[in-house]
């Protein structure tokens, strides 16, 4: 048996050796690759390899047993006569013939030289295994695997087996515009606040050798990054804030966050005028100079300052205006200066009754177009003793209407001339001229009537007595009155016509008012006579009106409100034609207030159409204060539609943009059978 | 005495009896066995623990930390409670009572019993040893469902936040309102801007502005139901202008008829107050002049319509003519007063004696025994009241210039007032809503009432559960397992409701539990009604004595 055992052991050793060589070569190659690429894993890989080899060896060892060996012995050595299996049987189970044969076999076993029972070396498999090992070892020199090591010189090689695309480091260089005087700086981040129009230069180290990379703003064109000396760089002038993310191909494995560049706008200079304290200054008697002092401040530096000086000379309608602009020099540093300008009034040519209007402009150094601030206008007024005077009143205070009264005198002159010409004129021409003067008189009366709170185009209700057919003022009203109103709007217009409040237009004491009324009555009479072609009869009324007006002029001052009535011109071609072509529709013009925005915002709120909101935001960028935040929140929802916190963030941004809702009502619940019975019982009269 | 010990003793006794029976002389064997049993029984009776029967069960609940259990009593700690050393952990109170059958009364220590444990204590004398109340937001009450744009008032109380402030938070922590509770109470108002579900919340900040606690206050905002309203007046009034604006924006259909002079009226389209058109209306607003101009047939139709559910608002804008007052008496209102304009001050509206902030009311009193007040002035003069008339409701209105509310800064108040009036008076048209009794929390059973057949609850994790409705109220039970918005789906009808996580608002939960437990303790019986098990000590003693007597008698005879 010991011979048999020796043979078996030899066959097994051969078999294990073949397996170890076949598997060992590739495993060794793998170990080599691991050692080259990530030595930290070498021990683990070695352990795994040894374990694998041990397992293979054990399997191979046990795969060959004595039975198989004897079968192979029978096949290779005919001397054993196909009966070597007897060697394994117990002696007492053998019949005599078998015992005999067994003894013979044992004898031959001792005599025999060992037959070749071991597996032959599988040459072809060994060659394939060796080639595989060589190929595997070549992996150790693949450059892609070595990038990590190359980009981090001096550092321990990264221990990650799969190398992901990720941003190793980011640097953002900010070069503010030269005029700001802010030094260029760089931050190790992708978010920053930069000055308006600053040049931002990104410089990223991206591990994993992406094929391409770019900065993708949420709104706008992407900015491609180019690889220079192992750094991905790009540059852009930042005029507007931007939300962006870094997009690479293949995609970034780790971060996908939004980054934000805020833009600090260049503020225009702030002007604070210290002297004079008020915008309107009255020239003090004997004053020769006028001082204007102000302070200007800017965030980056002040530029030119100029004073625009306007001199308004003359009175009434004869006003000449001359303008000039003069540079100002200030004292102080670049960001904050004080300016003091003394105007020599004599040199400017200021005379009594003139206004000197000064306004200052201060620019900053912004490029290409500077910001410019203007101050309010400051007025120095040299009031004429006899002319306008006013202080502390809202309206413009004037003496009584000089122009109008001259016109009344002019009407008298015209009338007298017409009376003188009467004999030499044809009757028609005479009546015509008289009518023209009457028209002038009417205009004067109407203008004058304003001071009594009368309206243009309305007949004077206090018009005394006989007035001819020439009076057409009341037509508009009478038409509206005679017409049966078809719809509420028309009626409201007709009946709800707002009259000017007399008290707001004039401030007369009763005596003056009576005088003025008397004058207007006289004008009315004069006009009537003139229109009838009777200028001679008109003259006494005209004189009466003039006299009354003189009295009014001497009586008191009047106050003119600065507002005037500007009615649209009446189109005479359309009057009384019955054409209602452009009349308003009879449909109720009241519609529920709903903006287009409402639907967009509501949809986005309810988780519906976010694309509409995405289109809406850029169009309203300037009017919504939280545009960037809204954009970021929307982007979050669009990328992860199922993310509840993202949706909450979007709602938070949408909430301030939503309009207040009009209070709605919920319909009352219908009573059930018992409720109805109860109500019916309540309604029954008590018995 | 533990069950194991009992078992060992029983085995020993049986072994002793068997030993005696096998080895003793046959004649005496059974008597010796009986004696052995008697000795054991005596020992058992003597050694029987006293507490096993008629014991006091001390139940530790949440917040009982630091409480010292009384000696000798059985102490159990409910799930989640801080248990003292030696206390027995029980999943719920019913289990504890089942394990301790001799329980005669119960002492609850801590914050109180959760809803699931409250039924278990019924019938037991209950004493509640309450823990000191927690600090934080102890109560928040707010409507869980309102119509869009309406005033949403959140009231509540905080404890232990001197100098702090309370904020009402909207979605994404937008601060909707803020107040500094001086006496602990707060009242915050917000106006929902959009229909749907709103994840609002109340946040308590301490003196330094740091967040102390946050309680979600979920709200369902209904889009509202459009109403059909008719406005009939005897003269033009500015009221109409702003009513039209509100009705148009809120989606209501408003028809108007304003008389100008005999034969001339402003109206949007011809309409008569006959039975057919009144059946198409939900609310009619009419003033005394408009009423006076109604034809007799119109009055009859109006009365009939109101009895069938139409809402009617009687606006008194001046003296009410006697025929009109008589007609209005038919609606149950006794009308008196001169009709002169008197100054009125609206609650919460800063008023002035002149200008647009000066309000006036007509000096008309609508008297009815069964009327409810809809709007009262600062001086508690009713400006609007209503009462039921048949199946409809009839309201009265004496405020002359509600429209001025629309001019001020708080223009929303005008719409709010109009909406509340319309909502109260208008014809009932809504179907009965699904009712959910209280704020739902994860792990606490809630009942959902007013549901039909085949109703399902969809939870945020995507699962749905069918509800089985029982009883007259058609209620079904539901145990929420995840927090978030759930939806009761009844055919086409969806009723969202929120479920809060079990660990939010601990102070509120503690207060609710202690209040409920205190209420239970107040009505608990002083003696246990029926003991959990029969006390078998007495019959055992009699049996022991009988056996003893038998043994003695046998001994005497032999």
């Amino acid at each position: 048996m010991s011979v048999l055992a020796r043979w078996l052991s030899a066959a097994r050793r051969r078999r294990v050796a073949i397996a170890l060589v076949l598997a060992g070569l590739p495993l060794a190659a793998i170990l080599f690759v691991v050692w080259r690429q990530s030595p930290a894993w070498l021990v683990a890989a070695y352990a795994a390899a040894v374990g694998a080899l041990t397992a293979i060896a054990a399997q191979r060892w046990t795969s060959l047993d004595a039975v198989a060996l004897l079968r192979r012995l029978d096949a290779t050595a005919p001397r054993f006569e196909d009966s070597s299996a007897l060697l394994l049987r117990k002696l007492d189970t053998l019949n005599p013939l078998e015992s005999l044969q067994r003894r013979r076999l044992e004898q031959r076993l001792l005599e025999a030289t060992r037959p070749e029972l071991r597996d032959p070396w599988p040459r072809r498999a060994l060659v394939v295994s060796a080639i595989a090992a060589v190929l595997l070892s070549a992996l150790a020199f693949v450059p892609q695997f070595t990038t990590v090591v190359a980009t981090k010189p001096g550092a321990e090689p990264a221990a990650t087996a799969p190398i992901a695309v990720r941003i190793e480091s980011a640097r953002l260089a900010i070069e503010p515009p030269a005029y700001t005087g802010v030094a260029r700086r760089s931050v190790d981040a992708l978010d920053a606040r930069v000055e308006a129009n600053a040049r931002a230069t990104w410089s990223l180290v991206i591990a994993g050798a992406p094929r391409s990379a770019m900065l993708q703003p949420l709104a706008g064109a992407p900015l491609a990054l180019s690889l220079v000396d192992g750094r991905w760089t790009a540059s852009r002038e930042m005029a507007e804030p931007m939300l962006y993310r870094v997009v690479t191909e293949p995609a970034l494995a780790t971060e996908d966050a939004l980054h934000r560049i805020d833009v600090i706008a260049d503020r225009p200079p702030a002007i604070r005028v210290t002297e004079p304290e008020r915008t309107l200054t009255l020239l003090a008697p004997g004053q020769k100079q006028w001082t204007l002092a102000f302070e200007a401040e800017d965030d980056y530096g002040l530029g030119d300052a100029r004073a625009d000086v306007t001199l308004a000379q003359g009175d009434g309608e004869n006003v000449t205006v001359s303008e000039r602009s003069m540079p100002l020099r200030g004292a102080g540093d670049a960001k904050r200066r004080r300016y003091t300008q003394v105007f020599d009034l004599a040199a400017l040519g200021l005379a009594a009754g003139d206004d000197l209007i000064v306004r200052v402009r201060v620019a900053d150094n912004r490029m290409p177009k500077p910001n410019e601030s203007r101050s309010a206008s400051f007025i120095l007024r040299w009031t004429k003793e006899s002319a306008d005077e006013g202080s502390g009143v809202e309206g413009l205070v004037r003496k009584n209407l000089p122009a109008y009264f001259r016109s009344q005198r002019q009407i008298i002159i015209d009338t007298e001339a017409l009376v003188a010409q009467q004999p030499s004129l044809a009757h028609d021409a005479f009546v015509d001229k008289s009518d023209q003067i009457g028209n002038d008189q009417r205009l004067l009366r109407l203008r004058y009537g304003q001071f009594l709170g009368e309206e243009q185009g309305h007949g004077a209700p206090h018009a005394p007595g006989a007035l001819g057919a020439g009076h057409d003022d009341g037509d508009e009203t009478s038409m509206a009155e005679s017409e049966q109103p078809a719809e509420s709007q028309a009626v409201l217009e007709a009946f709800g016509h707002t009259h000017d409040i007399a008290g707001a237009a004039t401030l007369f004491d009763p005596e003056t008012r009576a005088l003025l009324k008397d004058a207007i009555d006289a004008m009315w009479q004069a006009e009537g006579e003139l229109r009838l072609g009777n200028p001679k009869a008109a003259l006494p009324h005209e004189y009466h009106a003039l006299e009354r007006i003189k009295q009014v002029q001497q009586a008191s001052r009047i106050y003119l409100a600065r507002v005037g009535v500007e009615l649209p011109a009446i189109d005479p071609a359309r009057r009384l034609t019955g054409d209602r072509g452009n009349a308003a529709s009879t449909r109720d013009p009241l519609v529920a207030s709903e903006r287009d925005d409402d639907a967009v915002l509501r949809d986005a709120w309810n988780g519906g159409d976010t694309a509409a909101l995405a289109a809406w935001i850029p169009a309203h960028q300037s009017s919504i204060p939280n545009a960037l935040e809204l954009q970021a929140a929307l982007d979050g929802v669009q990328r992860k539609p199922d993310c509840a916190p993202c949706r909450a963030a979007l709602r938070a941004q949408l909430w301030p943009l939503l309009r207040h809702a009009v209070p709605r009502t919920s319909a009352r619940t219908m009573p059930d059978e018992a409720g109805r019975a109860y109500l019916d019982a309540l309604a029954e009269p008590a018995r | 005495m533990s069950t194991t010990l009992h078992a060992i003793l029983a085995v020993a006794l049986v072994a002793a009896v068997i030993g005696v029976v096998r080895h003793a002389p046959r004649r005496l064997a059974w008597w010796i066995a009986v004696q052995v049993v008697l000795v054991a029984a005596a020992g058992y009776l003597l050694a029987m623990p006293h507490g096993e029967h008629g014991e006091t069960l001390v139940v530790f609940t949440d917040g009982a930390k630091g409480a010292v259990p009384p000696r000798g009593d059985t102490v159990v700690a409910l799930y989640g409670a801080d248990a003292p050393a030696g206390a027995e952990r029980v999943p719920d109170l019913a289990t504890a009572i089942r394990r301790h059958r001799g329980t005669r009364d119960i002492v609850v220590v801590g914050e109180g019993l959760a809803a699931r444990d409250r039924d278990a204590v019924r019938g037991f004398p209950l004493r509640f040893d309450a823990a000191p109340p927690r600090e934080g937001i102890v109560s928040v009450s707010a409507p869980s469902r309102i119509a869009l744009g309406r005033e949403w008032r959140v009231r509540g109380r905080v404890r232990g936040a001197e100098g702090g402030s309370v904020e009402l938070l909207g979605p994404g922590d937008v601060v909707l309102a803020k107040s500094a509770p001086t006496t602990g109470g707060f009242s915050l108002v917000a106006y929902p801007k959009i229909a749907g579900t709103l994840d609002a919340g109340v946040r308590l900040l301490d003196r330094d502005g740091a967040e102390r606690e946050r309680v979600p206050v979920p709200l369902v905002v209904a889009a509202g139901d459009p109403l059909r309203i008719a406005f009939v007046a005897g003269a033009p009034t500015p009221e109409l202008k702003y009513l039209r604006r509100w009705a148009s924006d809120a989606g209501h259909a408003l028809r108007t008829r304003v008389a100008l002079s005999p034969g001339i009226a402003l109206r949007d389209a011809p309409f008569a107050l006959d039975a057919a058109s009144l059946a198409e209306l939900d609310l009619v607003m009419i003033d005394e002049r408009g009423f006076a101009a109604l034809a007799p047939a119109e009055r009859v139709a109006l009365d009939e319509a109101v009895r069938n559910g139409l809402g009617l608002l009687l606006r008194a804008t001046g003296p009410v003519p006697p025929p009109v007052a008589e007609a209005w008496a038919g609606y149950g209102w006794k009308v008196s007063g001169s009709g002169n304009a008197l100054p009125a001050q609206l609650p919460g509206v800063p008023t002035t004696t002149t200008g647009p902030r000066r309000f006036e009311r007509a000096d008309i009193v609508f008297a009815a025994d069964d009327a409810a007040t809809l709007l009262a002035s600062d001086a508690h003069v009713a400006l609007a009241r209503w009462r039921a008339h048949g199946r409809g409701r009839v309201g009265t209105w004496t405020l002359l210039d509600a429209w001025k509310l629309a001019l001020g800064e708080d223009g929303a108040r005008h719409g709010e007032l109009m909406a509340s009036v319309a909502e109260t008076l208008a014809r009932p048209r809504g179907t009965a809503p699904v009712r959910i009794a209280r704020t739902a929390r994860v792990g606490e059973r809630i009942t959902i009432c007013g549901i039909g057949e085949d109703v399902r609850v969809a939870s945020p994790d995507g699962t749905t559960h069918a509800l089985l409705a029982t009883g007259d109220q058609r209620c079904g039970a539901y145990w929420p397992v995840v927090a978030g918005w759930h939806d009761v789906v009844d055919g086409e009808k969806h009723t969202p409701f929120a479920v809060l996580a079990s660990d939010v608002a601990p102070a509120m939960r503690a207060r609710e539990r202690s209040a409920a437990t205190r209420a239970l303790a107040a009505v608990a019986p002083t003696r246990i009604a029926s003991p959990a098990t029969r006390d078998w000590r007495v019959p055992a003693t009699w049996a022991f004595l009988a056996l003893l007597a038998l043994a003695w008698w046998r001994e005497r005879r032999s």
Side-chain angles (χ1 to χ4, degrees), chain A residues 6 14 52-53 70 120 206 220 271 286 304 309 316 322 333 337 347 494 537:
Chain A
R6 257 199 331 270
R14 167 63 64 83
L53 285 178
L70 290 178
I206 305 177
I271 300 174
D304 295 339
V309 181
S322 60
D333 57 12
R337 284 188 194 145

Side-chain angles (χ1 to χ4, degrees), chain B residues 164-215:
Chain B
S165 60
V166 181
E167 287 178 344
L168 181 58
L169 300 179
D173 295 356
V174 179
V175 177
L176 303 179
K178 189 169 180 155
S179 90
T182 47
T183 56
F186 64 87
S187 171
L188 301 163
V189 173
Y191 297 89
K193 290 178 174 181
I194 193 162
T197 56
L198 185 68
D199 291 305
V202 170
R203 175 163 71 178
L204 175 64
L205 304 175
D206 64 13
R207 194 188 299 270
D208 307 322
E211 179 174 320
R212 283 269 301 271
E213 196 187 351
R214 170 189 293 240
V215 174

Side-chain angles (χ1 to χ4, degrees), chain B residues 118-145:
Chain B
R118 285 175 208 152
D119 284 339
V121 297
R122 290 188 200 283
F124 287 95
L126 177 65
R127 195 154 58 76
F128 180 35
D129 189 0
R134 288 201 199 201
E135 294 196 339
I137 302 171
V138 294
S139 79
V140 171
S141 75
S144 62
R145 184 184 172 87

Side-chain angles (χ1 to χ4, degrees), chain A residues 484 488 588 590-593 602 605 651-652 655 658-659 661-670 676 679-680 683, chain B residues 147-148 150 171-172 176 193-194 197 224-225 244-246 248-249 252 266 391 393 419 423-424 426 428-430:
Chain A
Q484 198 61 247
S488 58
D588 190 346
L590 193 70
V591 290
S593 64
R602 205 164 43 217
W605 176 280
R651 284 185 165 196
W655 181 268
L658 290 169
R659 283 200 303 164
V662 174
R664 308 296 164 96
T665 50
S666 299
R668 221 151 35 95
T669 305
M670 273 194 288
R676 280 196 297 274
L679 288 174
D680 291 345
Chain B
L148 176 61
R150 297 295 290 279
L176 303 179
K193 290 178 174 181
I194 193 162
T197 56
D225 305 301
R244 262 160 58 86
R245 173 41 69 199
W246 166 74
S248 159
D249 290 350
H252 305 308
L266 283 171
R391 293 181 185 177
R393 290 176 175 183
E423 197 168 80
T424 311
R429 291 201 314 190

Side-chain angles (χ1 to χ4, degrees), chain B residues 341-355:
Chain B
L342 297 176
Q345 193 153 10
L346 297 186
V349 180
T351 49
T352 52
T353 50
T354 57

